[in-house]
Amino acid sequence: SSSSSSSSSSSSAPKSPGKRREIDVMKLMMSDYDVTLVDDNPADMFVIFHGPADSPYAGGSWKVHVELPDGYPYKSPSIGFCNRLFHPNVDEMSGSVCLDVINQTWSPMFDLLNVFEVFLPQLLLYPNAADPLNGEAAALLLREPEQYKAKIREYVAKYGQAAATAGSDDSDSEGGGESGEESSNGARPQKRKTDSCLPTGVRDDTCPAVLDRIPRVFLGSIWRGTPTPLGVFVWPSQPEMLGRAAA
């Protein structure tokens, strides 16, 4: 009984900040977001973020720089837009973001997917003109809301096309092909997974065809068949895919 209580307490113990960082980065990389690590460092990355539908930001995309501090997830990530965005709570030139959930009320219950699926879309949809980093955008929002929306669309057309740039870079590096192509709205299509690369019952998102999304720091445990930071097993049925991802 003592061994069982010991094992249960160890399983319920909180994950170390380093392990939690790996888990959250892996989840983000296995999602539909275009993620690029800086020198394979899971604490430093660029993510392509698309403007919310049914908003003046629709059709736009921005390169967002994400840095994770040593204390993550107990300390909040650093978030900054790399291409210009017209918004009361985003500094137009530096790209810094004024967002309470990032700067003040961050909780270790949140993760990187929350940032890109909830917090940033809500920031764009519900600006706070009372606490601006861009005074011009705040004043225009309050006094001339239709001109405010028109200014956003102007910036989207002129500056908010990071996905198109990323797609062009991939096409150049890969010699063209489907993974480097872009759709008509500037968004990159999802990479196709290889059919029938897994035995029946194994989850699709562990397919070796998506190994090119995984940083080299994670590949060793995946190839040995041990649990990845996501807690799932990757089936190493295509060694050439691993070699290409690790190259």
Side-chain angles (χ1 to χ4, degrees), residues 15 47 55 123 130 132 140 162 167 172 191 195 212 216 220 236:
K15 298 180 177 65
V47 182
S55 80
L123 173 73
L140 203 58
D172 292 341
K191 296 180 180 179
D195 294 334
D212 57 346
R216 280 174 283 183

Side-chain angles (χ1 to χ4, degrees), residues 87-109:
H87 189 284
N89 309 118
V90 178
D91 186 280
E92 182 177 335
M93 301 312 296
S94 72
S96 59
V97 177
C98 181
L99 183 61
D100 283 348
V101 74
I102 298 294
N103 299 328
Q104 298 175 10
T105 61
W106 176 265
S107 163
M109 293 186 299

Side-chain angles (χ1 to χ4, degrees), residues 84 152-161:
R84 290 166 69 174
I152 291 174
R153 296 188 185 100
E154 176 187 333
Y155 269 57
V156 167
K158 191 171 183 179
Y159 306 111
Q161 300 300 322

